Structure formats: structure tokens, C-alpha cells
Amino acid sequence: MTVTYRDGVVADAEAVHAMYRESFDAIFGHLYSPENFEAYISTQGPDAFAAQLADPAYPFRLAEQDGALVGFAKLGPPSLPYDPSGRICIELRQLYLLDAAKGTGVANTLMDWTLAEARARGAVELWLSVFSGNPRARRFYERWGFEEILRFDFMVGDHADDEYLCRLVL
């Protein structure tokens, strides 16, 4: 599997949305009613991705195989329920892969970029949230040194997911 990596641009919004939707559905789709799934995915549509791709506060790194998107990572400003207390913090907002890219090293390469980009932006902490019922992702983040700080409800439509808020001191 030959994968190339590049920064995301506004023109990638449709592809990022389509890949995100496919990946989110494969991992979590069975957990939600169709109404809750669509309510959540509609907040993550092509227009939302285009706005973020245009905003320098939301750097994206894309992974492509044969010109097709197979994964991406997105950083962004703090939004999760924690208090940065004056520290420069950044969040890993999303790191998603298509099933075919899992176990190939793509996630590690995207995480390498994530850490380097967070440090380059002066962050002293990197935060993320992970679904409590996603042991693969939880193990991945643990291997990278993230610690689970607290549990909170992440809303998908009117369905509350049990999530962990995780932190990595950079």
C-alpha cells in the first residue's frame, strides 16, 4: 500500500466529508438510530469541512492511496470540557481511517504529524475525546502516551455517548 500525505485544502471538503461519513458509519453507525446518525453527520457536512479547511486554526493532514482519501487528521482550538487555565492547548479533533487503511501505519504517520504540528503551534498539551466502547482507538492513544482524564457525554443527536477526555503533555 503506497500512501502519500499532504495538507488539506478547501477543495478537499467533499472528499473529507465522504470519507469521514463512511468511516464514522463503519465504526459507530450501529450505535445510533438513523435519525441520530443523520443529525450528527449533518453537523459534519461538506460546508463545515470547507469552512475548517479554509481556517488556519484547523490544520488537516490527508492520507491518500492512488489519489483516493484513506485517512485524515484534523487539529483545532479547544472545545472539549476542560479548562486550559492559560496553557496553550490544541485538540486532535478527528483522526479517521477507512477500514482498508487500518493496521498499515497510516494512523501512526498521521499521529506523528499531529504531534509535530501541535508542537510547532506552541501547544504544551494535546487533548482529544475517544468513545469508551472503542477499545482499538483507546489502545492506540494509550500507546502514544495519552492519559484518560475524565468521562463525559458526547452527544450524537439526542443519544449520549460515554466518552473519555484524554490529554498528552507535549
Side-chain angles (χ1 to χ4, degrees):
M1 175 179 202
T2 301
V3 177
T4 58
Y5 298 88
R6 65 178 178 84
D7 293 337
V9 296
V10 174
D12 296 314
E14 290 282 343
V16 170
H17 167 72
M19 195 234 90
Y20 173 71
R21 182 185 181 99
E22 181 179 341
S23 179
F24 189 86
D25 189 28
I27 300 166
F28 305 114
H30 67 283
L31 298 172
Y32 312 118
S33 70
E35 296 79 17
N36 281 334
F37 180 86
E38 289 303 325
Y40 177 73
I41 286 294
S42 71
T43 69
Q44 306 289 313
D47 290 342
F49 280 115
Q52 291 172 343
L53 284 156
D55 185 341
Y58 292 88
F60 281 71
R61 190 69 171 169
L62 309 183
E64 296 175 320
Q65 180 184 16
D66 300 323
L69 189 61
V70 296
F72 74 93
K74 174 180 77 175
L75 289 168
S79 68
L80 293 168
Y82 64 92
D83 178 11
S85 298
R87 299 180 313 276
I88 299 172
C89 301
I90 196 165
E91 289 178 13
L92 176 55
R93 293 288 187 95
Q94 294 168 321
L95 194 160
Y96 280 87
L97 305 176
L98 294 180
D99 283 345
K102 292 179 180 173
T104 65
V106 170
N108 288 327
T109 301
L110 290 173
M111 185 57 81
D112 282 335
W113 171 85
T114 296
L115 297 178
E117 185 68 20
R119 288 182 179 115
R121 289 171 177 261
V124 296
E125 293 178 352
L126 178 61
W127 290 79
L128 60 84
S129 69
V130 63
F131 177 52
S132 64
N134 189 346
R136 183 179 186 150
R138 289 177 63 200
R139 285 190 307 271
F140 175 78
Y141 294 126
E142 183 180 329
R143 283 193 309 272
W144 281 90
F146 285 87
E147 60 180 318
E148 294 176 348
I149 302 296
L150 62 89
R151 292 177 109 153
F152 73 102
D153 288 341
F154 181 86
M155 299 306 294
V156 177
D158 64 7
H159 177 93
D161 273 346
D162 186 24
E163 296 261 331
Y164 284 104
L165 181 62
C166 302
R167 176 186 67 194
L168 176 66
V169 176
L170 299 171

